[in-house]
Amino acid sequence: PETYAEYPTCYWLGRVIAHHYCLSFGMYWGHRYLHVNKFLWRHIHSLHHFATIPLARATYMDHWFDNFFNAVISEVATPLLIPLPFPVLVASRLFRVCESLEKHSGVSGGVNVVHSLQQALPFAQMPHHHDWHHEGHKGSNYTFASLGGLWDVLFGTRHPGRAGGHAAAAATRDDTARVGLNKKQHCRNWLDHPYVTPVPLVAFFAATARAWAERGGGL
């Protein structure tokens, strides 16, 4: 619409960041629940975790329902909650695809262009965080967020991974602080109860349904 031109570039930049944090919130709780729910883990998400040392080609090595559910969050729910102009939405999705490929690449450093761009955001993460997530199979309940690292920090699932070892060159400020303080890492708590973990996800989809209704039932 012509009204898009009425807003400055900084407005759209802020809106894109808010859009990605919203997407990441839904992905975070969906991903965490896949680890908590034994049935979903055994029959769906464990397929992706056969890659204990991830490479880029393992990015989309998922059960079809895993990919479908992620698509509902990213391509239906989030655009309803925080709409973007179509060209901006496409660009943001390309950014998201590159982010996903990078975090499964097994390489953590300056060559990770997308992750390096995120370093300006609070609690940004790098691929070595997701490596740790895969190394531990189901038992490594860390780093569930898809973009940035804010939700992992707020909800107690952040882990510096090997930032104190071979990934030291890619360590973030948060990693350095955690390694230096030898900060105790996440262990299972009440948020991992199978009746509690899906609650934020239900709220996310309830907000999506309301946004859909307010738009007259259209996208």
Side-chain angles (χ1 to χ4, degrees):
E2 292 78 6
T3 53
Y4 289 153
E6 297 176 5
Y7 297 94
T9 302
C10 59
Y11 168 83
W12 290 114
L13 178 60
R15 195 172 179 90
V16 167
I17 291 173
H19 178 94
H20 278 287
Y21 273 125
C22 178
L23 182 156
S24 185
F25 181 86
M27 297 284 279
Y28 174 89
W29 286 108
H31 189 182
R32 189 165 178 175
Y33 189 54
L34 287 169
H35 281 251
V36 168
N37 185 292
K38 293 180 180 179
F39 178 86
L40 295 178
W41 168 262
R42 184 179 303 114
H43 297 286
I44 295 175
H45 195 56
S46 61
L47 174 63
H48 180 64
H49 275 264
F50 279 121
T52 55
I53 303 176
L55 296 172
R57 65 173 180 265
T59 302
Y60 296 105
M61 189 185 77
D62 296 310
H63 188 281
W64 69 266
F65 184 80
D66 220 338
N67 280 319
F68 174 77
F69 190 66
N70 288 341
V72 170
I73 291 173
S74 62
E75 312 308 334
V76 179
T78 306
L80 279 168
L81 291 168
I82 305 181
L84 294 174
F86 184 70
V88 178
L89 180 64
V90 171
S92 76
R93 286 303 174 270
L94 290 174
F95 185 90
R96 163 80 178 103
V97 168
C98 290
E99 182 268 347
S100 193
L101 290 169
E102 280 190 4
K103 76 181 179 186
H104 289 94
S105 67
V107 178
S108 195
V111 295
N112 303 119
V113 177
V114 172
H115 281 81
S116 296
L117 288 173
Q118 295 182 65
Q119 294 305 302
L121 299 175
F123 310 117
Q125 60 189 17
M126 290 292 283
H128 62 268
H129 297 115
H130 201 67
D131 275 9
W132 185 268
H133 176 78
H134 274 264
E135 280 186 41
H137 206 57
K138 185 178 185 296
S140 187
N141 290 318
Y142 305 100
T143 315
F144 296 110
S146 57
L147 284 160
L150 179 63
W151 306 123
D152 281 300
V153 172
L154 288 181
F155 299 120
T157 51
R158 181 60 174 259
H159 193 290
R162 302 201 179 281
H166 66 251
T172 64
R173 293 187 297 274
D174 182 71
D175 290 339
T176 302
R178 288 171 185 269
V179 171
L181 294 173
N182 194 25
K183 191 172 182 179
K184 185 179 179 181
Q185 303 305 320
H186 166 76
C187 59
R188 285 188 174 275
N189 56 38
W190 65 276
L191 288 174
D192 292 301
H193 191 285
Y195 293 151
V196 174
T197 309
V199 171
L201 198 59
V202 171
F204 178 82
F205 283 119
T208 300
R210 180 176 179 179
W212 181 74
E214 289 176 350
R215 291 169 64 94
L219 296 175

